[in-house]
Amino acid sequence: MLQDKVRTDAFKAALDEVVADGSTVIDMGTGTGILALFAAQAGASAVHAIEYTSIVDRAKQIAAENGLADRITFHQGDAQELAKTLEVKADVIVSEWLGYFVFSDGMWPAVVECRERCMNPGGVLVPSAVDLFLAPLDDRDASGPNYWNTTPYGFDLTALMQDELRYTQIRVVKPEGLLAEPQRVQQIDCATAGPVLSTDVTAEFTCSRDGELNAFCGHFTAQLSPSVVLDTAPGLPDTHWQQQVFAIQPVPVRKGDRITLRFRGIEAPYDNRLVRMFLEGSVRGPDGTRSFQSTYDQ
């Protein structure tokens, strides 16, 4: 995570913008403590850094060795439970809770708990808003599901494609693979959103070229502060989030065809920290209408 310079520099720039001298800051999921260090460096007089794992001991050591132990207080434990008893009112709450395609890390409910109990009126959340995007994709990457069509080791392994379609992939998507401009499929206002990030939306796309619709590409933007946006779109500097690829059964498309997509995300029935997602829709063109649908666990 520290080596993700795009991500880390963006959070630093945001904290430099929103943390005023004398601010009280809560950093949820502090890990190595880097965001807590940035907040103290930006002028916070008190930083409360929350971390579940034992890496908090190393974070304490790092804070001390950098002369910031007097301004950073570390709290080890479950963030959602700690938020219920933490007697702190924060001017800024920062949390890098963003999972792959936003949903996957399961930290958001704890952020909401902290926001409701620990943020001063007029306080600032970092990030303050997150937008999710999807775009139709002609996926020719040999590391994707198309691999099973290449006769690996001289064998027909296309039967494995069915299993591939149940899961998403995290990898870099080249923008030239997109069949249409991305559409925003969800907006999250971090100041008002509830603890469950379910979604059920529709989007429409017009194919910009002939090709094969065999996946959708997901990415997101996060408004970290008024002038700092973290963007994970294809073609931009790479982050550890890269892009999320949702494979579907291939559908031939032509330039001008209309793609209608319904995207749903619900809490996974086997783990409330994870998400089950559904993509279903159709391609409408001169040759008629062809449908597709897939379910993914993440």
Side-chain angles (χ1 to χ4, degrees), residues 9-296:
D9 283 353
F11 271 87
K12 182 182 187 304
L15 289 168
D16 285 344
E17 184 172 358
V18 302
V19 175
D21 288 345
S23 292
T24 297
V25 176
I26 294 175
D27 173 18
M28 299 196 66
T30 196
T32 59
I34 189 65
L35 300 187
L37 295 175
F38 288 156
Q41 191 178 59
S45 59
V47 181
H48 293 267
I50 298 172
E51 173 58 39
Y52 183 75
T53 72
S54 61
I55 200 173
V56 72
D57 295 327
R58 196 65 72 203
K60 290 178 184 178
Q61 179 185 351
I62 291 169
E65 291 176 350
N66 285 275
L68 294 170
D70 61 328
R71 282 191 277 161
I72 304 176
T73 302
F74 291 91
H75 307 265
Q76 185 174 8
D78 179 87
Q80 196 161 359
E81 292 305 311
L82 283 172
K84 296 175 182 178
T85 58
L86 193 63
E87 294 183 1
V88 173
K89 289 297 182 181
D91 305 299
V92 177
I93 297 174
V94 59
S95 179
E96 205 277 73
W97 55 272
L98 305 164
Y100 294 116
F101 200 47
V102 175
F103 291 111
S104 66
D105 274 5
M107 279 184 61
W108 174 247
V111 176
V112 172
E113 189 76 36
C114 190
R115 180 193 72 195
E116 296 302 300
R117 293 178 179 269
C118 302
M119 191 165 74
N120 276 326
V124 175
L125 282 166
V126 181
S128 61
V130 180
D131 290 346
L132 283 75
F133 297 82
L134 284 169
L137 178 64
D138 187 343
D139 184 18
R140 301 295 177 176
D141 195 308
S143 66
N146 193 53
Y147 172 76
W148 306 116
N149 294 322
T150 63
T151 320
Y153 309 106
F155 294 103
D156 181 353
L157 301 181
T158 53
L160 293 172
M161 175 74 81
Q162 297 303 316
D163 299 307
E164 191 84 43
L165 296 177
R166 296 170 51 204
Y167 302 99
T168 63
Q169 281 195 327
I170 308 300
R171 53 186 163 88
V172 173
V173 171
K174 295 180 180 179
E176 54 265 31
L178 301 182
L179 289 164
E181 286 296 310
Q183 298 290 327
R184 182 170 57 195
V185 295
Q186 184 163 5
Q187 296 175 277
I188 302 169
D189 181 346
C190 298
T192 59
V196 178
L197 293 178
S198 61
T199 187
D200 189 343
V201 295
T202 58
E204 287 200 350
F205 309 86
T206 301
C207 288
S208 59
R209 60 180 176 86
D210 295 353
E212 180 180 84
L213 172 63
N214 50 28
F216 283 84
C217 171
H219 59 93
F220 68 87
T221 64
Q223 188 80 42
L224 301 185
S225 67
S227 65
V228 179
V229 176
L230 176 64
D231 194 339
T232 66
L236 293 181
D238 195 20
T239 70
H240 76 278
W241 290 285
Q242 299 184 331
Q243 287 83 45
Q244 190 132 358
V245 178
F246 300 82
I248 65 170
Q249 287 286 0
V251 179
V253 294
R254 295 181 179 177
K255 183 177 180 179
D257 282 359
R258 299 286 292 176
I259 300 171
T260 300
L261 172 69
R262 182 185 181 191
F263 171 66
R264 291 185 292 142
I266 62 171
E267 187 177 279
Y270 52 86
D271 189 334
N272 61 10
R273 297 168 300 173
L274 301 177
V275 176
R276 176 167 288 173
M277 291 175 286
F278 307 84
L279 266 66
E280 57 184 305
S282 61
V283 177
R284 188 170 67 254
D287 297 333
T289 300
R290 291 142 292 169
S291 299
F292 58 85
Q293 62 177 16
S294 289
T295 300
Y296 316 87

